[in-house]
Amino acid sequence: MDVLSDQLARARARGAVFSTLRRTAPWGLEFSGRRPLTAHILFDGPGWLSPARAEPFPLAAGDLVLATAGDPYRLVSEVGAPAETIGDARRRGSDDSQGPAVRVLCGSYVVEGSVGRSLLTALPQFTRIPSAAQHPLHRDAIALLAAEAGGSGAGQQVLLDRLLDLNLVYALRARWQQDEGRAPGWYRALAHPGLARVIEAVHRRPADRWTLEAMAQTAAMSRAAFAAAFKTVVGRSPGAYLTDLRMGLAEDALLRTDATVSTVATSVGYTNEFAFATAFRRAHGLAPGRWRAEQRTAAAGDRAQDPTA
């Protein structure tokens, strides 16, 4: 079980390129900072990222920045350069005038649910991964993304979306390898063979009867040693981690299927609907059926306000 892939899939973390713009200096793009997760890459030239309430920092060609929701910010050719909103820039299109030019790729990600929120809280507002620090395969993926963004062949949008997905996996790997202390607990556990076996097994078979004894046997550790190691590395007890995993799966099933609450309960490992409803209410403050109705109403309202989301 590839746990990172599982987490990204359950967070609905998938890319949707929303702009690839050519700009000649001086240039600037302004962002509201409201989108949950956005990737920025400058092709062909340098620039600066200028946050609203922090010091600007330089970007070289090929550098990647992941931006989570927060304060507004700007991508600019130089500090103080005038900037247009990304919405106005998209409507205007690329600049074909002569002079020093860059191509700016800005790709948003769909990130949903409690799993998505967990991923995002593991990131600061801005994560810069310099080209020089990228894995060679990541640089290759960015080069392919640059080449495809500059073309106009059939199926281009699908390729750009998938390459943006690939970019996110490499970027998260790089971020958490550079600063393991900020990585999610499940990611840190993957470096421990015994804990990794348990994390992978519960993600693969979350509905199994996972007692502490069963988890400890999977880890090939004593119950006491396993419980202590899991809490130290992951930051939560094995039982709490399993409950969080099951609640995330239940959220997904409630939102994206019309399965009954009883069916959802069984699918995530609860023996009866009452036990599931109790656990769900403890985690979310609402009964599963009411939570489903409120979430679907809110999602419909969000789509109506932002058709590009």
Side-chain angles (χ1 to χ4, degrees):
M1 164 63 70
D2 181 345
V3 181
L4 176 55
S5 294
D6 180 55
Q7 294 287 80
L8 291 174
R10 291 199 297 112
R12 291 296 188 271
R14 59 186 183 276
V17 173
F18 61 85
S19 64
T20 306
L21 300 168
R22 182 183 185 274
R23 287 292 183 267
T24 53
W27 58 268
L29 301 172
E30 185 171 351
F31 301 86
S32 67
R34 290 195 297 268
R35 287 192 176 266
L37 182 62
T38 305
H40 300 292
I41 305 173
L42 298 187
F43 301 134
D44 311 321
W48 290 76
L49 191 145
S50 184
R53 294 192 290 181
E55 289 297 313
F57 56 88
L59 299 173
D63 287 2
L64 163 74
V65 174
L66 291 179
T68 59
D71 292 331
Y73 60 95
R74 295 179 171 189
L75 289 175
V76 292
S77 56
E78 57 193 49
V79 177
E84 58 187 332
T85 68
I86 185 60
D88 288 343
R90 290 176 63 197
R91 286 187 285 272
R92 184 163 72 86
S94 288
D95 180 356
D96 295 326
S97 60
Q98 298 296 312
V102 299
R103 283 180 298 150
V104 186
L105 180 139
C106 304
S108 65
Y109 292 92
V110 177
V111 183
E112 301 174 356
S114 59
V115 176
R117 290 191 295 273
S118 176
L119 286 172
L120 295 180
T121 57
L123 295 171
Q125 185 178 5
F126 303 109
T127 299
R128 174 177 172 260
I129 302 175
S131 177
Q134 292 163 9
H135 188 281
L137 292 176
H138 191 186
R139 285 198 296 272
D140 289 344
I142 288 177
L144 185 55
L145 185 58
E148 191 59 43
S152 58
Q156 182 192 41
Q157 189 63 50
V158 173
L159 282 172
L160 289 173
D161 288 352
R162 298 294 75 76
L163 287 168
L164 198 60
D165 294 345
L166 182 63
N167 174 72
L168 179 59
V169 174
Y170 278 123
L172 291 176
R173 278 185 186 173
R175 167 64 186 174
W176 293 334
Q177 286 169 1
Q178 291 169 5
D179 190 357
E180 187 176 296
R182 288 182 175 268
W186 57 263
Y187 188 88
R188 295 193 300 270
L190 298 180
H192 186 296
L195 299 184
R197 284 195 296 274
V198 174
I199 294 288
E200 290 164 357
V202 299
H203 277 259
R204 185 167 54 248
R205 304 188 311 277
D208 281 12
R209 190 170 180 272
W210 286 111
T211 63
L212 181 61
E213 180 68 28
M215 291 187 191
Q217 288 179 356
T218 301
M221 300 169 67
S222 71
R223 285 177 37 162
F226 167 72
F230 195 99
K231 180 68 178 293
T232 298
V233 175
V234 179
R236 296 182 62 70
S237 70
Y241 184 87
L242 178 62
T243 297
D244 288 346
L245 173 62
R246 287 173 168 172
M247 289 298 104
L249 292 169
E251 286 180 18
D252 199 57
L254 289 167
L255 286 177
R256 305 186 197 292
T257 76
D258 292 322
T260 66
V261 172
S262 178
T263 299
V264 172
T266 302
S267 72
V268 298
Y270 287 86
T271 56
N272 60 73
E273 183 177 339
F274 177 76
F276 168 67
T278 300
F280 194 92
R281 190 179 293 109
R282 186 181 303 119
H284 295 84
L286 293 171
R290 184 176 175 186
W291 182 89
R292 168 191 261 169
E294 291 192 1
Q295 291 294 313
R296 287 184 172 180
T297 299
D302 290 343
R303 286 193 295 271
Q305 292 179 15
D306 183 4
T308 65

